[in-house]
Amino acid sequence: MTLPIRSHAPGSPSPAVGDLLREWRQRRHLSQLALALEAGVSQRHLSFVESGRARPSREMVLQLAVHLDVPLRGRNGLLLAAGYAPVFSERALDDPALAAAHRAVVRVLEGHEPYPALAVDRRWTLVAANRAVAPFLEDVSAALLAPPVNVLRLSLHPEGLAPRIANLAQWRAHLLERLHQQFIASADAELAALHAELAALPAPSPGRSASAVAADGAGVFIPLLLDTREGLLSLISTTTVFGTPVDLTLEELALECFFPADDATAERLRRIVGASGDGAPA
């Protein structure tokens, strides 16, 4: 699957705000009339904005962005294209202003032990992990663990976790589809490039049949089936995000937490983490 992206060559004129709004509207499959009705503006004025015949106010840009479900980073881009200063800040997670959120992340990661949990940014770069993650990375290539670590690359690369994922064909398809949906939602060209890179990795043969995997997930989810020294782990993945972020870092941060899908996996995880010794989230 090829992801269509808008290219913007360095040095070329920046896209006009009307062009960007039209692209977001089309990406959300909305007509001008539908968007105008939702946002409480006239279709005629929206048409003039998209064609460049009218300059939208700062308030209108933000109002349209809300109804188009544009991510905060994209809203800053729309404001800049319209000639206004961006309003959404971006700070490091350890910035004092994000202290409460940072503590919340650490508590979730630590509280999830002995089950693996990690935090990633919008492009799947590892931000933090609890100590239950480290034992699974012992046989991974050092090159894949050199910062910045991309979690999807680490999972699907032949020198990463891929050889130990028993249902690699199904898990790979799940991750690629999830990445595709993230691109659709964000229009982030780097996600499209990452998708192309991962899709070009050697395609696995279906080591386990789809019916066997469906049985493991009771027909309602695709588990991650991971071979370890303690035996096969069957894991359920969940994603947690901040509910009301107004900072780019927090909006783009996701906590990926894994739960055991059966009692045997729960016991094996307790043994693996117990044998790994004490530690703290990275």
Side-chain angles (χ1 to χ4, degrees):
M1 174 175 17
T2 300
L3 302 183
I5 62 173
R6 176 190 179 99
S7 74
H8 175 56
S12 63
S14 298
V17 65
D19 293 335
L20 292 178
L21 285 169
R22 182 172 58 253
E23 287 183 6
W24 280 110
R25 178 177 60 76
Q26 293 172 345
R27 184 176 291 275
R28 300 299 186 241
H29 304 290
L30 289 172
S31 67
Q32 277 189 351
L33 177 59
L35 177 58
L37 289 174
E38 286 189 17
V41 300
S42 73
Q43 181 183 2
R44 183 171 183 270
H45 186 47
L46 178 58
S47 175
F48 279 19
V49 168
E50 289 191 358
S51 66
R53 287 184 287 173
R55 181 190 183 214
S57 68
R58 176 179 174 277
E59 291 71 23
M60 182 179 181
V61 170
L62 291 173
Q63 184 176 355
L64 291 172
V66 167
H67 289 280
L68 289 169
D69 195 23
V70 179
L72 300 186
R73 188 176 297 276
R75 295 182 199 186
N76 277 348
L78 287 171
L79 287 168
L80 284 170
Y84 304 110
V87 298
F88 300 104
S89 61
E90 181 175 16
R91 305 173 176 89
L93 188 57
D94 58 1
D95 187 287
L98 300 184
H102 190 191
R103 287 194 298 270
V105 170
V106 170
R107 285 169 181 162
V108 170
L109 296 182
E110 289 181 337
H112 198 66
E113 295 175 1
Y115 310 140
L118 47 89
V120 296
D121 67 12
R122 75 188 191 281
R123 291 170 178 162
W124 291 88
T125 302
L126 182 66
V127 175
N130 67 10
R131 69 189 185 106
V133 171
F136 300 112
L137 306 179
E138 294 173 351
D139 300 324
V140 169
S141 167
L144 293 173
L145 295 176
V149 176
N150 184 275
V151 171
L152 294 190
R153 185 181 296 114
L154 182 66
S155 300
L156 300 182
H157 197 282
E159 296 180 4
L161 290 176
R164 294 165 51 198
I165 298 178
N167 60 333
L168 180 58
Q170 292 81 9
W171 189 250
R172 176 180 183 269
H174 162 68
L175 292 185
L176 289 177
E177 174 59 21
R178 185 171 172 186
L179 188 57
H180 171 72
Q181 293 303 323
Q182 283 185 273
F183 167 77
I184 295 300
S186 67
D188 187 333
E190 290 199 26
L191 289 181
L194 179 60
H195 186 285
E197 175 195 338
L198 298 179
L201 292 174
S205 58
R208 297 182 55 147
S209 68
S211 60
V213 174
D216 286 332
V220 295
F221 61 85
I222 298 176
L224 170 61
L225 301 178
L226 188 64
D227 285 318
T228 72
R229 63 177 182 271
E230 294 288 344
L232 186 69
L233 302 181
S234 181
L235 300 165
I236 303 170
S237 65
T238 67
T239 303
T240 302
V241 297
F242 283 90
T244 54
V246 290
D247 178 274
L248 296 181
T249 299
L250 294 188
E251 186 193 49
E252 296 168 351
L253 190 70
L255 303 183
E256 300 291 325
C257 300
F258 291 86
F259 291 84
D262 52 49
D263 292 340
T265 293
E267 178 57 32
R268 287 165 184 158
L269 284 169
R270 284 191 287 269
R271 289 200 301 267
I272 291 171
V273 176
S276 70
D278 293 329

